[in-house]
Structure formats: C-alpha cells, structure tokens
C-alpha cells in the first residue's frame, strides 16, 4: 500500500467507524457486532501506526486516548459561559414567565429541559470538525480539555449534514450512574479515595492528564444550547436549532418539551420530579428557556445569567436515620467541625454514614440529642446535611449534644471570634491535626503537588518527629525515610461511605527515593502555587494567583500595607488583614526564610502569565458604568488577559475604557495625552470578545 491508498483507506475507515459510533452511542441502534467494529478500529490503528503522518486530530483512533495534556491551557470563551438563576418553587416560575411576557409584550413559548448534573462544556466546530473543547472555568475563560473530550464517544468529532461553517455548542458532560458505580467499586478494591457522586467523578476525570484513563471512564454528553453569530443564525427558535444539531450528529436529550403556558411547565416539572429517579444519569432540576431567539435577545442578560432562562431545582432527597455519636474534627486552620455518625442509610444512590453538623449554633438550633432520629438530606452538595430532628422518636432522658469546650486533639481551650460561627483551637503552633493539616495542604496537588507524600505518609513522618512544619520537608533525606512504617486508617474525615479501611504505610527503597525526588522537584513550583501552599487563611488558589500577579514576589506582598492590599481587585479587608497577620508572625518569617534557602520560587516568572492577548502588558484605566458588565468584571477581564488596571490617566496609559458618566475631567485628560478612549463595545472587540445573541 502506498501513501495515497493508505490515506484513502484511513478516510474510509474513519467514516465507517464514526458512523457506527453514532449508531451505537447516539441512536442506540448498532448495525454491526462489537467484533466487527473492533476489526475496523484495529485496521485503522495499524495503518496509522504505519503512516503516522496521516493521523488526523479528529481520527476515531483518538477516542481511545493516549495523548497526555501536561497543563490545561486557558482560552477566553467566545461568548461568556453564564449560569442560570435558580428557583425553588412554582411561584418563582410564574413570576419569570409574567415578567418575560410583560417585557416582550406578546405571547411567549418556552422549552422545558432536564437540568443535567454534570460538568458544563463548550465545543467549538469549524468546517464540521471539533476544534476545541473548553470547560466553564471562571465563565470568561476556560481550560482546553479537547484531547480528553475527543475520547467521549457521544461527542461527534466530525459532523454530517448541513451544518454551519463555524459555531459553538454547549452541553453537559455526564457520568451515567452505572459507570460511576463500577468505577467506585474498582477504586474501593484498589484502596483509592472514592468519588462522592457522578458530578465529582466527571470533574475529576475531565482534568486528568492521561486521556487513556478518560477514555475508559465512559463519559457521556448531552448538548443543550447552540451558539452562532447573530447574523449567521439560520434558526428562529432554540428548539429548531437543537433539532438541527441532532441531525448533524450531536446527542440531544429526548426529553425536551415545548410548553405554551405555565400549566404545561408545571406538568413537565411534576412529571420529571418523579421520573428522574429512573433515568440512568443524575439531574438536579429543570431548565425553562424562552424558545424564540429574537425574544431571547430582547430579554438579554444580567452579569451572571440570561434573562431568558431559569432553572427549577428539584427538592433534595431526604431520609430518616439515627444519630449514633459525634466526632469533633480539627481542621488545618484550627476550626472545629462537628460531624455526626449515623446509622448507615441509603440516600440518592449512596450509603450515608456521616453528615456535617456545621458548627455549635447549628447543633443548638436543631436541639440535638444523642440517639435522636434525624432527617438527612443530600442536595447538590457532596456532604449530606441533617435538616431536622424528629421529636416524636426522642427517647426519654436522652442526653443533649453539647459542643466541646476543649480541643479534642490537644486539650487547649477553644475560642470563638466575635461574630463568627466557628470555634477554633488557638494552639496553632503545635496542635497535631493543625500541624499535619498545614503540611498536607502544602503538599496537595494544587499547591506543591508532592503527591508521593500523600495517603497517610505525613502522619508517619510526624509520628517519627521528622516534620513539624512544611520547611522541615526540605531537610528530609533518603536515609531518614528508609524503613519507617505504620498501620493507619485510610478513612478520610468526611468519607460518606464510612468504610473502615486500614493500610500499612512503609517507606521502602523506591518510595523513599521517589519522595526525595518529588520534594526536590517541587522547588520548581511557580510562585503563585507556593503562595497558595503557605496556607494563609482566606488565600485560596484564585487569591494567591491575583496576589502573585499583582505584587510579583513575596517581599512585595510582605511589605504591602492593608491599604495597598485592598487596592488590588478582588482583595477585601478580610483577606488583607489575614495576609498581614501571616507575615507579621515571626515563625512564618522563619519558615519563609528556610523555604527560600531551600530554593523555592518566591518570584513570579514571565512564562506564568497566560498567552499573549491584544492587551498584554497594557496599562488601562476603567471608568464609568457599563451596559453588559460591571466595572469589576471589566477589570477582571483585563487582568485575566494580561493587562494592568491603573487608577489614573497618565502618559503611560494605553487605553481608557469609558462607560457612561465618566467624568469630563478624565475625558479631557485622555484627549490631551492622546490616550485612546474605548467604549465598552470597542473594548470587547479589541479583546476579541463577541457579543452574544
Ligand atoms: S442552558 C446561558 N440547559 O446548568 C445558560 N444548562 O447553572 C445556558 N445545565 O452551567 C445554560 N442542564 O452546565 C442549560 N438543559 C440545560 C442544562 C444546563 C444542565 C447546567 C449548565 C450550567 C448550569 C446553570
């Protein structure tokens, strides 16, 4: 076979395989046996191996996975990925419809759909080929997960029929409940941490680096919204657009209904409130959308959600069970969380043995007694909640639950800050769960990512007096680790499944050298993650990124006053004081010095910033009020795209983004200094942000 005939055969095979994929995964009507399908796939794989230059990014062979994504690059969304406003009762739906009707001034028709409980995805197609899949991210930009998405069999890599040349389509990636149960059973057997629910499993899977594992996880995807440039949109209604998308090869839910009035909507809700339990995947509500695109346009958007759609959330499932005992757990920041141990009970597809009780006030409000029969609810959250006590089952002389007064780990008297619900153990320096918790946070994946030290190893090192803080990690040596061992319980504090599992942790030759190597490599972790790893209260991943970007290095943050900190977009008083408190503590200064000596990154490097944008490095003043975004959102957009927000206009200013009622003085100054003044629309055009339908 020569290159030309190989190419033809590869094309032919690809077409056939994709057609069978479509028949199987979308139509659920296979026309070929698994064996014959495998023959076709094997032939394709063999040919592609022989002629690697002929492998196309959308070849069906990519569905098997194999490519690794080292870091998920972030890209701006062409249209922002918004959320939906939620409603919990029918009168809110009536209000929504009435309001829409009032604004539009004519009859409206709605479409009711299931609200899938998975992870949102935005797919971009050009000339009928999938070219990019982005996660929601912060709604403005998302992560490129295309390689992983290509492994999802129900997502077409190539379209058929009369599709538009360029468009985006949004949908939800799901993990069917039976795949979820299988994966968790496998994880349990392998003593791996279980996924709490299918949504979490999807979120974890879609960000895996190894697409081969993604391919095995049996994800599925329903598409629910087509987005095309307004002037190129051939469809009059949302319903029509989904019908068309179905013809191009997308998986569109069969349970979509056109509803002409609120009664029809309520009927749909009542129907699915019951029937959803029989679906093979999780749903958490109903989405009601105005069908007509023109009407959608008239209604427009708020900063967060479209005014042409609303979600109705299903009531959380609830069961009754008995309260057996309460654990008071100490978090890495000293917060005491009461956790109820319950008589195991089946709830929303999982067995629940524990539930959070939040804090002392919550226990008091419930008037909780030991042995009480309680209602347990599992909403969208991972951790079940106790919602009420059933007093008719309370036993005589049952003991009231009192919050502990002393730390269950170190016996220090607990304290409570005025106005806060939580009790803290103030023994920050030596309370063991706090010390271990800080180190565990430091090594966690999103921080220093020293995963080989996870799963109970920190505890062993702590017990052997080898570590008392995260700087101690950098003094560890192979010799100190080799031979350590301990049998530990591998139950996580809020493991809903509550299965008691024990595991022997031992530091053998390979483990020990891997750990030392991982610690050495962690020295290359970028500054923003080191900052997050330090465990400053209220400095999560995002805040750490913002601070690292704004100040550039640790000394600048250390020196920044509260006033300077709050000047930074998104940094409020609470975060600012916490940052100050951290740096004013002498012990923390000693730790930072030790980490610096060990060679950790305390300075931002150029490469960390996201890819070049038209405003990278530009000084921009934002002033006035805007139509589509709030001022803070515009500023965030600038920061995310590598621009710099500056307070006042000077000769160094590159642009002024002017909203309504920007003061005349500013206008005059900008003109005098020849600084271009952009309207909101001009600014959005500059950054390549297209307006929505
Ligand atoms: S439409 C502009 N339809 O719910 C908003 N969303 O809080 C377009 N979702 O992030 C969303 N099923 O991931 C829409 N049938 C459906 C949906 C759906 C699930 C998710 C979506 C979004 C969230 C909204």
């Amino acid at each position: 076979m020569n290159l030309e005939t190989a190419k033809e055969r590869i094309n032919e095979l690809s077409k056939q395989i994709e057609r069978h994929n479509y028949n199987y995964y979308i139509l659920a009507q296979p026309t070929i046996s698994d064996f014959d399908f495998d023959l076709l796939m094997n032939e394709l794989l063999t040919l592609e191996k022989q002629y690697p230059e002929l492998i196309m990014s959308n070849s069906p062979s990519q569905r098997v996975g194999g490519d690794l994504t080292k870091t998920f690059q972030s890209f701006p969304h062409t249209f922002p990925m918004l959320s939906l406003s939620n409603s919990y009762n029918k009168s809110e739906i009536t209000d929504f419809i009435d309001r829409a009707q009032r604004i539009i001034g004519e009859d409206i028709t709605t479409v009711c759909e299931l609200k899938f409980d998975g992870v949102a995805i935005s797919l971009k197609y050009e000339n009928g080929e999938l070219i990019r899949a982005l996660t929601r991210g912060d709604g403005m930009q998302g992560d490129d997960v295309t390689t992983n998405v290509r492994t999802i069999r129900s997502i077409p890599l190539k379209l058929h029929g009369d599709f538009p040349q360029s468009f985006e389509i949004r949908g939800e990636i799901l993990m069917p409940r039976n795949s979820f149960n299988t994966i968790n059973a496998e994880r349990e057997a392998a003593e791996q941490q279980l996924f709490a629910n299918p949504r979490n499993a999807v979120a974890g899977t879609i960000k895996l680096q190894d697409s081969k594992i993604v391919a095995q996880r049996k994800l599925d995807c329903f598409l629910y919204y087509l987005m095309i440039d307004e002037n190129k949109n051939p469809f009059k209604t949302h319903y029509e657009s989904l019908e068309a998308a179905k013809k191009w090869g997308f998986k569109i839910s069969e349970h979509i209904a056109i509803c002409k009035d609120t009664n029809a909507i309520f009927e749909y809700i009542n129907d699915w409130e019951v029937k959803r339990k029989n679906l093979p995947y999780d749903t958490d509500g109903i989405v009601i959308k105005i069908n007509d695109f023109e009407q959608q346009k008239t209604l427009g958007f708020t900063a967060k959600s479209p005014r042409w759609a609303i979600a109705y959330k299903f009531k959380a499932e609830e069961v009754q069970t008995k309260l057996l005992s309460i654990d008071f757990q100490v978090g890495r920041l000293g917060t005491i969380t009461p956790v109820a141990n319950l008589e195991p009970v089946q709830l929303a597809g999982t067995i629940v043995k524990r539930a959070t009780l939040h804090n002392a006030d919550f226990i008091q409000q419930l008037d909780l007694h030991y042995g009480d029969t309680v209602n347990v609810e599992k909403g969208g959250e991972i951790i079940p909640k106790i919602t009420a006590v059933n007093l008719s089952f309370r036993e005589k002389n049952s003991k009231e639950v009192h919050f502990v007064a002393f730390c269950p780990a170190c016996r220090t008297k607990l304290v409570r800050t005025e106005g806060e619900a939580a009790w803290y153990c103030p023994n920050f320096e030596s309370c063991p769960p706090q010390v271990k918790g800080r180190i565990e946070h430091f090594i966690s994946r999103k921080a220093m990512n020293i995963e080989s030290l996870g799963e109970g190893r920190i505890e062993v090192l702590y017990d052997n007096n080898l570590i008392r803080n995260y700087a101690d990690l950098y003094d560890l040596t192979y010799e100190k680790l080799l031979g350590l061992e301990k049998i530990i319980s591998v139950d996580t504090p809020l493991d809903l499944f509550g299965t008691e599992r024990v595991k022997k942790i031992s530091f053998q030759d390979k483990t020990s050298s891997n750990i030392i190597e991982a610690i050495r490599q962690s020295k290359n972790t970028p500054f923003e993650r080191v900052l997050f790893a330090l465990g400053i209260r209220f400095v999560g991943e995002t805040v750490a990124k913002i601070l690292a970007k704004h100040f550039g290095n640790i000394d600048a943050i250390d020196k920044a006053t509260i006033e300077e900190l709050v000047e930074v977009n998104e940094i409020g008083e609470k975060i600012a004081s916490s940052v100050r408190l951290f740096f004013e503590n002498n012990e923390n200064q000693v730790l930072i010095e030790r980490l610096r000596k060990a060679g950790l990154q305390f300075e931002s490097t150029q490469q960390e910033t996201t890819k070049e944008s038209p405003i990278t490095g530009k000084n921009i003043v934002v002033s006035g009020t805007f139509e589509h975004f709030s001022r803070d959102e515009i500023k965030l957009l600038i920061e995310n795209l590598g621009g710099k927000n500056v307070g006042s206009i000077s000769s160094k200013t590159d642009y002024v983004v002017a909203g309504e009622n920007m003061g005349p003085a500013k206008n005059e100054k900008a003109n005098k200094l020849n600084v271009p003044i952009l309207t909101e629309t001009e600014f959005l055009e500059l950054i390549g942000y297209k307006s929505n339908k």
Side-chain angles (χ1 to χ4, degrees):
M1 193 176 285
N2 61 25
L3 192 73
E4 210 34 52
T5 46
K7 194 172 172 183
E8 269 170 32
R9 184 65 190 148
I10 285 180
N11 270 342
E12 179 52 35
L13 284 167
S14 300
K15 267 198 200 132
Q16 281 188 31
I17 294 172
E18 273 308 271
R19 175 54 71 171
H20 290 306
N21 244 327
Y22 176 75
N23 291 343
Y24 187 94
Y25 290 102
I26 309 245
L27 302 181
Q29 285 166 350
T31 55
I32 184 175
S33 70
D34 287 358
F35 179 78
D36 288 335
F37 181 85
D38 289 346
L39 281 184
L40 293 175
M41 187 58 113
N42 284 338
E43 189 184 343
L44 176 68
L45 291 171
T46 314
L47 271 176
E48 287 189 339
K49 206 166 175 185
Q50 228 173 325
Y51 299 95
E53 66 273 35
L54 296 178
I55 303 178
M56 308 297 282
S57 54
N58 282 328
S59 161
S61 62
Q62 302 307 302
R63 295 203 182 277
V64 187
D67 280 356
L68 297 181
T69 312
K70 271 246 146 77
T71 46
F72 294 95
Q73 229 195 321
S74 165
F75 284 94
H77 290 295
T78 324
F79 308 95
M81 255 176 118
L82 303 173
S83 55
L84 292 167
S85 54
N86 286 327
S87 64
Y88 297 89
N89 58 53
K90 291 179 180 159
S91 72
E92 289 177 83
I93 307 273
T94 313
D95 291 348
F96 166 76
I97 299 290
D98 287 349
R99 186 171 172 280
Q101 208 125 32
R102 225 177 23 248
I103 295 174
I104 289 166
E106 55 188 71
D107 273 354
I108 54 170
T109 295
T110 58
V111 171
C112 284
E113 300 172 15
L114 296 173
K115 187 167 184 301
F116 305 106
D117 196 8
V119 170
I121 194 81
S122 184
L123 306 175
K124 192 172 176 123
Y125 285 80
E126 252 160 42
N127 302 317
E129 297 229 13
L130 173 67
I131 60 155
R132 186 171 292 159
L134 294 182
T135 61
R136 180 171 189 276
D138 62 2
M140 299 294 173
Q141 10 187 25
D143 286 337
D144 182 345
V145 290
T146 318
T147 307
N148 287 346
V149 160
R150 285 202 173 101
T151 69
I152 302 175
R153 304 295 205 274
S154 53
I155 293 184
L157 301 179
K158 290 185 184 181
L159 306 177
H160 41 257
D162 186 18
F163 47 78
Q165 190 258 334
S166 164
F167 67 90
E168 264 182 57
I169 190 160
R170 303 252 162 105
E172 198 88 351
I173 303 185
L174 301 171
M175 186 179 282
R177 272 189 226 122
N178 59 4
S179 313
F180 168 76
N181 290 332
T182 315
I183 288 168
N184 256 357
E186 284 165 11
R187 291 175 77 84
E188 174 134 46
E191 295 196 347
Q192 287 169 319
Q193 173 92 50
L194 302 187
F195 288 121
N197 54 39
R199 176 166 33 86
N200 275 33
V202 179
T205 303
I206 209 66
K207 293 297 259 319
L208 283 173
Q209 294 190 330
D210 186 351
S211 59
K212 240 195 190 108
I213 307 179
V214 183
Q216 291 157 7
R217 293 263 172 99
K218 303 218 162 52
L219 299 178
D220 202 346
C221 181
F222 282 109
L223 284 309
Y224 50 61
Y225 200 73
L226 179 75
M227 324 199 76
I228 319 183
D229 255 358
E230 199 188 318
N231 43 15
K232 291 186 200 141
N233 187 355
F235 306 106
K236 198 177 162 321
T237 64
H238 167 63
Y239 191 83
E240 258 175 61
S241 73
L242 291 187
E243 287 279 288
K246 197 190 280 180
K247 293 201 183 106
W248 308 330
F250 290 106
K251 186 159 178 173
I252 309 290
S253 168
E254 291 162 43
H255 310 302
I256 300 183
I258 294 185
C259 295
K260 291 214 156 45
D261 54 30
T262 41
N263 281 339
I265 297 175
F266 295 157
E267 221 171 277
Y268 185 92
I269 291 177
N270 293 343
D271 205 23
W272 282 105
E273 193 117 46
V274 180
K275 284 206 299 205
R276 71 178 180 119
K277 298 195 176 115
N278 304 326
L279 290 169
Y281 43 80
D282 283 357
T283 52
D284 60 347
I286 299 293
V287 184
I288 302 139
K289 300 175 184 168
I290 307 289
N291 194 21
D292 189 288
F293 280 141
E294 270 301 310
Q295 293 180 350
Q296 286 190 4
K297 196 177 148 195
T298 311
L299 291 166
F301 298 84
T302 68
K304 289 199 191 111
S305 52
R307 288 203 184 85
W308 45 260
I310 191 168
Y312 171 86
K313 296 289 279 258
F314 290 134
K315 274 173 218 60
E317 284 187 56
E318 212 177 55
V319 283
Q320 286 205 342
T321 188
K322 221 171 165 172
L323 171 70
L324 302 177
S325 62
I326 295 181
D327 290 337
F328 290 89
Q329 296 179 342
V330 190
R332 75 175 159 97
L333 298 167
T335 317
I336 311 292
T337 308
V339 177
N341 292 309
L342 306 168
E343 211 163 75
V345 61
Q346 181 85 24
L347 173 62
T350 49
I351 293 170
V352 174
K353 287 187 171 183
R354 290 178 170 189
T356 176
L357 286 165
H358 304 292
N359 52 47
D361 295 348
F362 188 76
I363 294 179
Q364 210 171 18
Q365 277 155 22
L366 283 175
D367 174 31
L368 196 61
H369 286 220
Y370 288 100
D372 268 350
T373 298
V374 291
N375 288 12
V376 183
E377 174 186 285
K378 200 163 155 204
E381 289 71 40
I382 306 161
I383 303 161
K385 275 199 302 212
I386 291 186
T387 52
V389 173
N390 196 327
L391 288 177
S392 54
F393 290 123
R394 176 168 290 170
E395 282 165 26
K396 259 194 219 143
N397 308 324
S398 68
K399 242 178 71 199
E400 196 183 333
V401 174
H402 288 291
F403 206 83
V404 281
F406 294 90
C407 173
C410 71
R411 313 303 310 156
T412 304
K413 194 162 174 29
L414 301 181
V415 293
R416 191 177 194 169
T417 315
E418 179 83 31
E420 275 188 35
W423 284 92
Y424 293 102
C425 164
N427 182 10
F428 178 74
E429 269 142 42
S430 51
C431 174
Q434 294 191 55
V435 173
K436 284 186 272 185
R438 281 197 297 272
I439 306 175
E440 258 147 19
H441 168 74
F442 184 84
I443 63 149
S444 62
R445 199 170 52 82
K446 290 183 170 170
M448 303 302 282
N449 193 19
I450 316 178
E451 280 201 314
S452 46
L453 261 178
E455 312 229 337
R457 297 216 167 86
I458 292 293
E459 188 164 328
V460 184
L461 298 182
Y462 180 89
D463 287 356
N464 284 280
N465 285 324
L466 285 172
I467 48 172
R468 283 294 174 270
N469 55 57
Y470 37 65
D472 289 342
L473 293 173
Y474 295 89
D475 293 339
L476 292 173
T477 58
Y478 170 85
E479 290 73 25
K480 286 184 188 168
L481 299 186
L482 193 67
L484 297 175
E485 61 176 38
K486 188 186 177 185
I487 294 184
I488 59 156
S489 155
V490 290
D491 248 11
T492 51
L494 280 176
D495 181 358
L496 318 178
F497 308 93
T499 29
E500 186 65 36
R501 279 171 285 147
V502 289
K503 191 172 170 183
K504 184 170 163 183
I505 302 271
S506 58
F507 288 71
Q508 288 162 354
D509 168 51
K510 192 126 201 294
T511 318
S512 308
S513 53
N514 282 349
I515 290 173
I516 297 298
E517 177 55 19
I519 293 176
R520 196 186 62 74
Q521 281 196 11
S522 76
K523 295 177 185 175
N524 299 325
T525 307
F527 173 48
E528 59 187 42
R529 281 177 42 198
V530 176
L531 189 59
F532 170 57
L534 294 180
I536 306 171
R537 190 186 288 264
F538 308 127
V539 178
E541 240 188 309
T542 316
V543 172
K545 263 189 203 157
I546 294 172
L547 289 173
K549 201 164 185 179
H550 185 91
F551 291 98
N553 62 58
I554 194 120
D555 296 327
I557 302 178
D558 185 359
K559 281 203 206 88
T561 60
I562 298 241
E563 292 71 32
E564 285 163 346
L565 285 162
V566 294
E567 255 176 41
V568 183
N569 211 358
E570 294 210 36
I571 307 294
E573 290 271 348
K574 198 168 85 171
I575 301 174
S577 345
S578 170
V579 171
R580 285 293 351 120
L581 206 65
F582 180 88
F583 284 99
E584 275 158 20
N585 179 317
N586 217 14
E587 309 258 341
N588 289 334
Q589 290 288 350
V590 173
L591 286 180
I592 291 172
E593 245 354 271
R594 285 180 62 199
L595 293 176
R596 200 197 293 268
K597 282 216 177 85
L600 269 68
Q601 306 296 317
F602 281 119
E603 207 159 302
S604 289
T605 52
Q606 219 49 39
Q607 299 97 332
E608 279 163 50
T609 50
T610 37
K611 66 182 188 67
E612 284 278 307
S613 84
I615 56 165
T616 307
K618 301 276 191 234
N619 294 323
I620 303 176
V621 174
V622 182
S623 180
T625 53
F626 300 90
E627 194 187 343
H628 300 98
F629 292 92
S630 70
R631 190 160 51 227
D632 279 347
E633 282 168 333
I634 300 243
K635 284 187 174 173
L636 194 63
L637 216 59
I638 292 173
E639 244 174 65
N640 285 343
L641 292 170
K644 205 165 165 196
N645 286 299
V646 285
S648 58
I649 304 172
S650 73
S651 57
K652 290 197 189 121
T653 310
D654 293 292
Y655 297 109
V656 174
V657 184
E660 262 176 56
N661 45 35
M662 176 173 90
K666 275 201 173 131
N667 212 338
E668 203 175 299
K669 191 159 182 196
N671 283 331
K672 206 165 128 199
L673 294 170
N674 266 336
V675 179
I677 303 176
L678 306 177
T679 63
E680 184 184 18
T681 315
E682 284 166 342
F683 167 71
L684 295 175
E685 266 168 23
L686 172 72
I687 61 169
Y689 202 107
K690 301 205 185 108
S691 72
N692 215 320
K693 284 193 179 95

